[in-house]
Amino acid sequence: METTFITDTKGNKLSAVLPIKKYMKLLEDAEELEDIRQYDAVKARKEKSTSFNEFVKQHKQRKKTNGKTI
């Protein structure tokens, strides 16, 4: 990876400078890893799954029973 380090007077690395494409790729990878972690956490709970359409239907029914409609 093309990385330049910014150091202090003692040679300790303080910052890194890298090409924007590499930076953007690192961000994308980090976001994907977070999505995977969240997915794994949800799967570990072993709860019954609900389709999106069923969720919307249930949500609308709850709103109506509370005196509110969408």
Side-chain angles (χ1 to χ4, degrees):
M1 183 181 293
E2 308 159 28
T3 306
T4 303
F5 295 101
I6 298 174
T7 59
D8 63 14
T9 55
K10 295 180 181 180
N12 298 313
K13 293 177 183 175
L14 302 174
S15 300
V17 179
L18 58 147
I20 193 69
K21 286 184 180 180
K22 299 285 184 182
Y23 173 74
M24 297 304 289
K25 177 73 171 122
L26 286 173
L27 285 180
E28 289 174 13
D29 291 350
E31 289 174 2
E32 184 174 346
L33 180 58
E34 179 58 27
D35 290 344
I36 292 168
R37 286 179 177 155
Q38 289 178 357
Y39 174 83
D40 289 344
V42 169
K43 290 296 278 185
R45 292 190 297 215
K46 297 181 182 182
E47 296 176 351
K48 180 183 171 193
S49 62
T50 303
S51 71
F52 178 74
N53 290 336
E54 184 62 28
F55 171 80
V56 170
K57 181 180 172 183
Q58 291 172 0
H59 184 69
K60 285 181 180 181
Q61 288 174 347
R62 277 189 236 128
K63 288 282 189 177
K64 287 180 182 178
T65 59
N66 289 334
K68 300 174 187 174
T69 56
I70 297 176

